[in-house]
């Protein structure tokens, strides 16, 4: 067995890479769920929001494909269409999904509370701000200007269709680092609300932070979140925290508003030569 010496990076943090829906916009990541449910409804197949949330964070066509492989969805498809779904069904579903999703995006472009304050804190630290998303470039051509109107404009936006493979593969994070001209990867913090976000960051060699209350794992819009009984809210929150931790998150927070407070802790770990 051979070993190689590796000099540890002990410099400052240089960037954050943020997810979009459920992390900086669209409290509860409602827009994609609504689009998936509506797409299947038009084919006569009822899917629950919970099932639609299962593969969240992956590229949207991959997401639909994973939904079609769910036993409950496949059985319902077979009941309605007298056969199991195939590749042609996936292709046609995605073609129908795209315009539905695009039409919904402006309705769900409001920033999650604390986003602008967190971004300002990142900027004060001298950090670049990149973003990755399961949305396509044409979808982001709608969402990004809406977010810009509300004060959020990152240094880089990388979409799933701009790289060989989306989450959980690392390529969007790698592309974001290249566009921001920031390295090494252990000087970057990835923040997202899905398990696929955590895997993406880990696979890219970044520090990975999970967001629960505002995102997919909690699965509530802002009005729904406010109406949840405290006991139900805390139970769902605890389960979401645990799932993020088991996925390998270095830290888990309720929302992006809490991320700036984590940075000193992560920076101290980097200064000690620790790697993600």
């Amino acid at each position: 067995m051979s070993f190689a010496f590796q000099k540890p990076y002990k410099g400052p943090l240089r960037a954050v890479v943020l997810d979009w829906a459920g992390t900086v916009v669209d409290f509860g990541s409602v827009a994609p769920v609504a689009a998936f449910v509506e797409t299947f409804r038009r084919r006569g197949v009822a899917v629950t929001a919970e099932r639609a949330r299962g593969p969240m964070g992956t590229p949207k066509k991959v997401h639909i494909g994973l939904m079609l492989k769910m036993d409950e969805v496949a059985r319902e498809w077979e009941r309605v269409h007298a056969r199991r779904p195939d590749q042609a069904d996936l292709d046609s579903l995605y073609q129908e999904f795209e315009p539905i999703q695009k039409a919904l995006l402006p309705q769900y472009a409001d920033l999650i509370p604390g986003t602008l304050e967190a971004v300002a804190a990142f900027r004060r630290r001298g950090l670049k701000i990149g973003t990755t998303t399961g949305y396509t470039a044409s979808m982001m051509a709608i969402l990004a200007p809406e977010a810009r109107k509300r004060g959020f404009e990152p240094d880089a936006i990388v979409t799933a269709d701009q790289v060989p493979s989306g989450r959980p593969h690392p390529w969007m994070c790698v592309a974001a680092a290249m566009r921001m001209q920031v390295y090494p990867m252990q000087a970057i913090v990835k923040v997202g609300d899905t398990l696929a976000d955590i895997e993406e960051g880990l696979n890219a060699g970044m520090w990975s932070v999970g967001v629960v209350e505002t995102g997919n794992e909690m699965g509530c819009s802002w009005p729904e979140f406010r109406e949840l009984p405290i006991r139900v809210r805390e139970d769902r929150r605890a389960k979401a925290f645990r799932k993020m931790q088991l996925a390998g998150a270095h830290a888990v927070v309720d929302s992006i508003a809490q991320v700036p407070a984590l940075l000193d802790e992560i920076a101290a770990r980097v200064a000690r030569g620790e790697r993600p």
Side-chain angles (χ1 to χ4, degrees), residues 109-155:
D110 285 343
L111 300 182
I112 287 171
T115 295
L116 293 181
E117 294 80 0
V119 167
F122 300 152
R123 296 295 190 194
R124 286 194 296 271
R125 292 185 77 109
L127 303 180
K128 294 287 186 70
I129 299 174
T131 59
T132 64
T133 177
Y135 288 139
T136 63
S138 61
M139 292 173 190
M140 288 307 301
I142 297 170
L143 182 57
E146 292 292 334
R148 191 180 308 120
K149 293 175 187 176
R150 293 160 172 79
F152 178 66
E153 187 171 11
D155 299 306

Side-chain angles (χ1 to χ4, degrees), residues 190-231:
K190 173 67 175 56
V191 183
D193 68 298
T194 68
L195 303 184
D197 278 294
I198 301 303
E199 292 182 74
E200 175 190 34
L202 294 175
N203 288 335
M206 297 177 174
W207 300 93
S208 295
V209 176
V211 171
V212 294
E213 284 194 352
T214 68
N216 186 69
E217 291 306 313
M218 198 74 169
C220 296
S221 67
W222 175 237
E224 291 169 341
F225 181 80
R226 288 182 297 178
E227 294 299 318
L228 277 180
I230 296 298
R231 182 173 295 180

Side-chain angles (χ1 to χ4, degrees), residues 68-81:
L68 288 172
K69 291 179 181 178
M70 295 177 181
D71 289 340
E72 300 90 342
V73 176
R75 284 198 300 266
E76 180 65 7
W77 185 280
E78 187 172 20
R79 185 189 69 79
V80 173
H81 298 283

Side-chain angles (χ1 to χ4, degrees), residues 1-270:
M1 184 178 293
S2 61
F3 295 88
F5 173 76
Q6 186 174 43
K7 186 176 180 180
Y9 174 77
K10 296 185 178 182
L13 294 177
R14 294 182 172 176
V16 293
V17 174
L18 311 174
D19 173 53
W20 279 80
T23 301
V24 297
V25 299
D26 186 10
F27 192 110
S29 195
V30 177
V33 173
F36 290 128
V37 170
E38 174 61 15
T39 300
F40 277 84
R41 186 196 67 80
R42 293 186 184 186
R43 298 298 183 88
V45 177
V47 297
T48 64
E50 183 179 3
R51 290 197 181 106
R53 287 187 179 280
M56 196 67 75
T58 59
K60 297 301 180 262
K61 189 170 183 179
V62 172
H63 188 130
I64 294 172
L66 291 171
M67 288 179 66
L68 288 172
K69 291 179 181 178
M70 295 177 181
D71 289 340
E72 300 90 342
V73 176
R75 284 198 300 266
E76 180 65 7
W77 185 280
E78 187 172 20
R79 185 189 69 79
V80 173
H81 298 283
R83 58 177 177 79
R84 288 272 168 154
D86 57 20
Q87 182 64 42
D89 293 318
L90 171 57
D91 293 339
S92 62
L93 278 168
Y94 183 72
Q95 288 179 356
E96 192 162 1
F97 166 83
E98 271 208 350
I100 294 172
Q101 183 68 93
K102 289 178 180 179
L104 286 170
L105 288 174
Q107 303 173 42
Y108 295 96
D110 285 343
L111 300 182
I112 287 171
T115 295
L116 293 181
E117 294 80 0
V119 167
F122 300 152
R123 296 295 190 194
R124 286 194 296 271
R125 292 185 77 109
L127 303 180
K128 294 287 186 70
I129 299 174
T131 59
T132 64
T133 177
Y135 288 139
T136 63
S138 61
M139 292 173 190
M140 288 307 301
I142 297 170
L143 182 57
E146 292 292 334
R148 191 180 308 120
K149 293 175 187 176
R150 293 160 172 79
F152 178 66
E153 187 171 11
D155 299 306
I157 299 173
V158 182
T159 63
D161 58 334
Q162 294 174 331
V163 294
S165 302
R167 299 174 185 141
H169 301 280
W171 311 127
M172 286 196 293
C173 282
V174 173
M178 290 175 63
R179 293 185 189 182
M180 294 184 293
Q181 298 186 49
V182 172
Y183 67 93
M185 301 305 259
Q186 58 262 43
I188 306 174
V189 179
K190 173 67 175 56
V191 183
D193 68 298
T194 68
L195 303 184
D197 278 294
I198 301 303
E199 292 182 74
E200 175 190 34
L202 294 175
N203 288 335
M206 297 177 174
W207 300 93
S208 295
V209 176
V211 171
V212 294
E213 284 194 352
T214 68
N216 186 69
E217 291 306 313
M218 198 74 169
C220 296
S221 67
W222 175 237
E224 291 169 341
F225 181 80
R226 288 182 297 178
E227 294 299 318
L228 277 180
I230 296 298
R231 182 173 295 180
V232 174
R233 180 190 300 181
E234 289 305 310
D235 181 61
R236 290 173 66 171
R237 178 177 177 273
K239 289 178 180 177
F241 260 73
R242 184 61 176 158
K243 287 176 71 175
M244 287 283 189
Q245 290 168 338
L246 289 174
H250 296 99
V252 185
V253 296
D254 289 327
S255 77
I256 191 174
Q258 297 176 322
V259 174
L262 285 175
L263 297 184
D264 285 340
E265 177 185 337
I266 295 174
R269 296 180 67 177
V270 175

